Amino acid sequence: MPNKLFKGELVENRIVIWDIEESKRIFGDGYFGKPLGVPKPKGTDFDAPLILDLIEGYYLVSEKKLAIRDLVSGKAISKKRLVEKCESEYMLFKEKFLVYKELRSRGYIVTPGIKFGSDFAVYEQGPGIDHAPYIIQVMVPQANLTATGIVLAGRLATTVKKKFLIAVVNYSQEDVEFLSFEWWRA
Amino acid sequence: MEETTDIIQAIESNKGFLIKDKDSRQELKIRGFGEGKKHGLLLRDYEALYLIYSSKLDVIKDDKKLTFNDVLQTALIRDEHAWTKFLIYKDIRTRGYVAKEGFGFGADFRVYDKGNFGSKAAKYIVFAMNEGNEINIKSLTDSVKQISRMGKVPIIAVVERRGEVIYYHLSKSHFRELR
């Protein structure tokens, strides 16, 4: 018997899981999303709808775990329509999604990296459990890195005691390489 | 015991600066300076600049002693990145490492781990990037891979606008399967 899909609604550019039980199950199974108004949830001990970002939403849709409809029209949102939405909301969406999917499939918890000024924060067990995530910036091979960018990366990795990596994504070859930066004390 | 403060003398050559005196050649070679040539020990421009700066070398041309700036001028005509190379070379030397000419990863050096010069191969390749410049991601990744394949540790030296050098160790990383 196929699994019952979770139900989400697209609200502006976020996906909301209104059903509290579903909200807890999605969050509990891999730290997807954030319970509304609960910045640091302890386990699934919360009573709130869950907000997923588009990458998380699209990943769960791709994994056939989630169905999304539009809150305003009430109509189902196709995968194609969802990709279009993602592409309009994210620079390098395809590349970012490839990194996200790759890391999730290897068992990592991947969360938005905005708090660290980057694309993703990656945990082995989960936020609040391991304290030192990997901070990931997604780039394409043809992009340029500035000296300031390098210093910023090194500074970030050192001051927050995290590992900073650039994910170099060659989308046409579905290839992701990770380049790490550490301050060398010499 | 008397400390020897003799200043070594070099002459200008079209590729660098040449030291003829046998004892001086030996002394510098042990400390990781220069390259033995038929006519003497040949110092690279940054090596000569470093030694002049440290008051250990005089360059003589037409019976006259050249100033640091004269030598720098010559170096800059030969290589537009001579000043950047000097800044990095001086910084690495001051930190107690021996550095030698690199392998062409831009302005680069091979750097020996402390105390290892003369006994072991260079451990690091240090390559330069000036503040204000950009480096292409693909070429950076390629350099890191190439240096790692050579069995060396890639280090990028970011030289800020006032000449301070900040180093970052680069490496290719993998996320192992957790499941």
Side-chain angles (χ1 to χ4, degrees):
Chain A
M1 205 176 83
N3 282 340
K4 202 173 143 258
L5 296 179
F6 293 116
K7 287 187 294 294
E9 282 189 333
L10 181 69
V11 185
E12 289 175 27
N13 52 4
R14 298 176 184 87
I15 294 146
V16 185
I17 314 292
W18 299 105
D19 183 282
I20 307 296
E21 280 317 304
E22 290 195 359
S23 161
K24 288 180 174 192
R25 279 177 58 198
I26 296 172
F27 182 81
D29 185 24
Y31 296 93
F32 291 97
K34 184 131 273 185
L36 175 58
V38 190
K40 286 194 167 147
K42 295 218 169 18
T44 53
D45 188 18
F46 59 81
D47 194 18
L50 192 70
I51 301 179
L52 299 171
D53 68 27
L54 282 167
I55 285 189
E56 294 174 312
Y58 182 64
Y59 177 74
L60 292 170
V61 168
S62 308
E63 293 289 294
K64 301 193 168 47
K65 288 181 179 166
L66 177 70
I68 301 173
R69 62 177 195 175
D70 188 79
L71 177 94
V72 179
S73 70
K75 284 184 186 153
I77 291 171
S78 67
K79 212 173 150 186
K80 185 168 167 275
R81 171 77 192 84
L82 192 58
V83 173
E84 284 165 11
K85 181 77 184 165
C86 291
E87 281 177 340
S88 72
E89 293 283 338
Y90 287 89
M91 302 259 289
L92 301 178
F93 169 72
K94 283 195 166 100
E95 286 80 2
K96 283 175 187 166
F97 186 70
L98 191 64
V99 173
Y100 184 87
K101 196 175 74 176
E102 180 105 6
L103 292 171
R104 277 286 186 184
S105 74
R106 289 185 206 175
Y108 290 86
I109 310 295
V110 190
T111 65
I114 181 80
K115 280 185 185 163
F116 308 105
S118 200
D119 292 322
F120 298 119
V122 178
Y123 300 83
E124 291 194 3
Q125 305 195 54
I129 306 172
D130 36 346
H131 284 283
Y134 302 92
I135 308 297
I136 294 189
Q137 179 88 46
V138 177
M139 296 187 89
V140 289
Q142 54 279 20
N144 286 342
L145 194 60
T146 62
T148 315
I150 293 174
V151 175
L152 212 55
R155 179 62 65 198
L156 188 66
T158 324
T159 48
V160 292
K161 291 197 170 51
K162 295 171 176 54
K163 210 166 181 187
F164 180 85
L165 304 156
I166 289 182
V168 185
V169 182
N170 190 331
Y171 185 76
S172 61
Q173 299 183 7
E174 288 199 26
D175 181 47
V176 183
E177 289 185 318
F178 295 97
L179 200 59
S180 83
F181 282 75
E182 272 168 289
W183 182 38
W184 187 57
R185 275 154 231 263
Chain B
M1 206 171 91
E2 202 181 318
E3 212 181 312
T4 52
T5 51
D6 285 353
I7 295 179
I8 294 167
Q9 292 204 342
I11 53 164
E12 215 181 78
S13 98
N14 55 0
K15 280 185 177 155
F17 299 88
L18 208 57
I19 290 155
K20 300 271 191 187
D21 176 69
K22 211 180 157 202
D23 289 345
S24 308
R25 274 155 61 175
Q26 193 56 25
E27 186 197 327
L28 287 179
K29 208 173 171 185
I30 289 167
R31 292 172 53 213
F33 293 98
E35 213 181 310
K37 297 280 179 198
K38 201 160 57 177
H39 303 291
L41 187 78
L42 184 71
L43 296 177
R44 300 271 182 171
D45 293 348
Y46 47 82
E47 292 175 315
L49 285 167
Y50 173 76
L51 290 167
I52 299 166
Y53 193 83
S54 323
S55 311
K56 285 172 188 141
L57 185 82
D58 281 342
V59 175
I60 309 297
K61 189 184 182 183
D62 305 329
D63 292 330
K64 271 197 301 204
K65 195 175 106 179
L66 296 184
T67 63
F68 179 86
N69 288 30
D70 293 333
V71 175
L72 179 59
Q73 199 176 18
T74 309
L76 281 167
I77 291 165
R78 276 200 272 252
D79 175 5
E80 56 170 339
H81 300 300
W83 179 240
T84 300
K85 288 199 85 166
F86 166 72
L87 289 173
I88 298 173
Y89 183 79
K90 183 182 178 301
D91 191 74
I92 295 173
R93 274 282 181 184
T94 308
R95 289 167 190 270
Y97 294 90
V98 170
K100 305 288 277 183
E101 182 68 13
F103 296 107
F105 297 99
D108 69 331
F109 297 100
R110 47 188 216 279
V111 175
Y112 295 79
D113 216 1
K114 283 175 186 167
N116 273 355
F117 179 73
S119 59
K120 283 187 179 159
K123 184 174 178 185
Y124 309 97
I125 302 282
V126 175
F127 56 102
M129 178 175 186
N130 269 307
E131 183 183 348
N133 288 0
E134 294 189 346
I135 190 163
N136 174 262
I137 293 284
K138 185 176 183 328
S139 75
L140 179 67
T141 318
D142 288 347
S143 297
V144 168
K145 281 195 251 184
Q146 225 175 314
I147 293 167
S148 307
R149 265 202 301 274
M150 290 160 73
K152 316 242 181 258
V153 178
I155 305 281
I156 190 163
V158 177
V159 188
E160 56 108 286
R161 292 190 198 274
R162 296 187 301 182
E164 202 181 314
V165 191
I166 319 155
Y167 301 91
Y168 297 96
H169 168 205
L170 299 170
S171 56
K172 262 203 78 180
S173 272
H174 297 278
F175 283 89
R176 71 195 157 86
E177 204 82 32
L178 288 183
R179 289 173 173 156

